[in-house]
Amino acid sequence: MDHAASRPGAPADGAPAALTSAQRSLTLLGVLLGMFLAALDQTIVSTAGPRIIEDLHISPTLYDWLSASYNLASTLLVPIWGKLSDVKGRRPILLVGIAIFLLGSLGCALAPEFLTLVGFRAVQGAGAAALFTSAFAVIADLFPPAVRGKYAGILAAMWGISGVIGPVLGGVITDALSWHWVFLVNLPLGALAIVFIALQMPRLGGGLPGRIDLRGVLALASAVVPLLLALTLGRSSVAEGALPTASRWGDPIVLALFAAASAGLALFIRSQARAEHPIIDLAFFREPVFRWGTLATGLVGMAFFASILFAPLFMQEVRGASPTDAGLVLMPLTLGIVSGNILSGQLASRLGRYKGLLVGSVAVVCAANAWLAFTLDSAITAGEMKVKLALLGLTLGPSLPLFTLAIQNGMPARAVGTVTASVTFFRQMGTTIGIAISGAVFGAVLTSSAGASPAEAMTRALAAVFWVGAGITFLALLVTLRVPGHELRKHH
């Protein structure tokens, strides 16, 4: 099916080539700044946590809601911003998204108490959702698929770099100034991004007929909000040492939320099937590249954060590492992800294909998880853990740019915002579900190992998490094999 040729009113092949090199570079710089803002704020708050808890008199058991509110708002609004960017264009959506994000940042910095801070974190998440989805859509507008991989890899690498910089920067700012400046630092960066985008970014995207389906928005909220609340309530904060238990997952409130989410999902599917201008066009799922690609993206997302959450805890509890040293164990993982992002994008552009890279990377992710699970013991050194996590990161890296590239390449270019938002939505949902599953497995194995020594129990629990990761990525491998291996188009 030749989507590029069949779409009415689309720009001619290669239309973005009319842009000057300076326009492309400055547009790309503005998008990278916006993406860096949104990604940085997911990690920069972590090291400011103790000061926030102390200053606002927050119970440590409630601190998780600062992340939950951000993730809930960003996940819910990703498909909506994606649809809007196809209708209104990328530039207005990016500008509005940054403005909302900065408003949330200012509100967080000035928040006098916990509930206000949680509310403004949700505002931040609402703005960040526009940045997440528009960034990859802009790359698709600027560059045809055959060369898009290298730029998508750089954009994905920005996400990984923020994971390295965020906690360190958050700690330095909190120690030197206060936790309020962790949020205020966004204001000058956001202002700079607004200047680049407002003055230099050409008109990209937009023109797709239609309007936002308000019934679909409400139906989507009725599915996503109860699900994310149930997953948040069902698991506890691992950082505080409170582990999930079976009784908590069986709590009537949690079960009621899961039931409400199921009903909301059915309502959303029904509304989208009838909507004239759906938020997520169900017809997209008729295309194998979209159907299998989004499913594989969600599965890889489920296995993505398990090591990030539990490896530092293992190093502290079993190997006696300090919090700083335990955090440094993740540095090779993050650098591996960044390297995998960039290298896979470059290779895809050189080869003109993505299928072999995707299958190979997912297969090695599965093997790396199994290797970690099989060889993990209480005597493992920090160096050994870093080597294994580096391999895991290097092979996880290609999943972010390449699945997005594959799906964009096989779908209509005029709906690239909606398509890209759908990929981001399924990845974020997979990540949230995966964290809940990993936490439940970790807690269950730890509880069942009560008769063993603490080090042995912790080792068994982390090994179980890696085995779950291996199982999930094996499923992702089977699904990835079904993704069509189209040649990357050389024109838009």
Side-chain angles (χ1 to χ4, degrees), residues 18-401:
L19 300 178
T20 66
S21 176
Q23 281 180 309
R24 290 174 186 266
S25 298
L26 291 172
T27 298
L28 189 60
L29 182 58
V31 169
L32 285 172
L33 277 172
M35 181 70 147
F36 181 72
L37 270 177
L40 183 70
D41 229 63
Q42 289 188 316
T43 58
I44 196 173
V45 181
S46 60
T47 42
R51 296 285 180 86
I52 295 175
I53 290 172
E54 180 182 348
D55 286 0
L56 298 185
H57 309 291
I58 302 170
S59 168
T61 58
L62 296 176
Y63 182 72
D64 193 41
W65 286 99
L66 292 181
S67 297
S69 59
Y70 186 98
N71 292 332
L72 193 154
S74 63
T75 302
L76 173 63
L77 291 174
V78 155
I80 298 167
W81 285 123
K83 180 70 174 182
L84 275 171
S85 75
D86 282 336
V87 175
K88 303 295 184 182
R90 316 290 180 228
R91 185 169 62 182
I93 298 306
L94 276 169
L95 291 174
V96 170
I98 294 174
I100 292 173
F101 182 83
L102 296 183
L103 174 64
S105 298
L106 182 61
C108 287
L110 301 177
E113 45 82 34
F114 177 63
L115 288 179
T116 304
L117 182 58
V118 169
F120 277 110
R121 281 289 284 168
V123 174
Q124 277 191 308
L131 305 180
F132 291 154
T133 184
S134 297
F136 282 98
V138 167
I139 297 297
D141 293 327
L142 290 175
F143 306 102
V147 298
R148 188 181 303 161
K150 65 179 74 173
Y151 299 100
I154 293 171
L155 196 64
M158 181 64 73
W159 193 287
I161 292 170
S162 71
V164 176
I165 295 175
V168 176
L169 185 61
V172 170
I173 291 174
T174 302
D175 289 337
L177 300 168
S178 72
W179 65 264
H180 304 276
W181 284 93
V182 167
F183 299 105
L184 290 175
V185 74
N186 294 328
L187 301 184
L189 290 174
L192 187 61
I194 286 175
V195 169
F196 274 111
I197 292 169
L199 298 183
Q200 300 296 334
M201 184 174 177
R203 186 183 185 279
L204 298 172
L208 190 70
R211 51 184 174 76
I212 289 297
D213 174 22
L214 293 180
R215 290 184 179 179
V217 171
L218 293 175
L220 181 63
S222 71
V224 172
V225 173
L227 176 60
L228 295 183
L229 286 176
L231 293 173
T232 301
L233 290 172
R235 65 181 178 88
S236 301
S237 174
V238 174
E240 297 300 329
L243 299 171
T245 62
S247 60
R248 192 158 191 192
W249 287 108
D251 186 279
I253 295 177
V254 174
L255 294 176
L257 286 169
F258 278 128
S262 300
L265 177 61
L267 181 64
F268 178 68
I269 292 173
R270 182 181 180 186
S271 73
Q272 296 303 279
R274 297 181 175 183
E276 184 179 0
H277 304 292
I279 297 170
I280 299 177
D281 193 341
L282 299 184
F284 287 169
F285 289 96
R286 297 173 189 163
E287 295 294 332
V289 70
F290 185 87
R291 181 170 65 249
W292 299 115
T294 52
L295 178 56
T297 297
L299 288 169
V300 172
M302 288 175 68
F304 200 86
F305 275 101
S307 54
I308 296 175
L309 283 175
F310 296 102
L313 181 66
F314 172 85
M315 295 305 293
Q316 289 183 70
E317 298 294 329
V318 176
R319 300 298 299 154
S322 68
T324 301
D325 290 338
L328 288 174
V329 167
L330 294 180
M331 187 73 75
L333 173 72
T334 307
L335 294 177
I337 291 172
V338 171
S339 301
N341 291 153
I342 296 173
L343 290 173
S344 63
Q346 296 286 337
L347 282 172
S349 294
R350 285 179 177 273
L351 297 173
R353 293 186 177 276
Y354 53 81
K355 179 68 177 284
L357 293 171
L358 271 177
V359 171
S361 67
V362 176
V364 181
V365 170
C366 179
N369 271 295
W371 183 36
L372 277 159
F374 189 73
T375 60
L376 191 68
D377 62 60
S378 58
I380 191 171
T381 66
E384 290 175 308
M385 182 66 88
K386 287 177 181 178
V387 169
K388 294 174 181 180
L389 290 179
L391 175 63
L392 182 61
L394 189 63
T395 52
L396 273 171
S399 66
L400 181 56

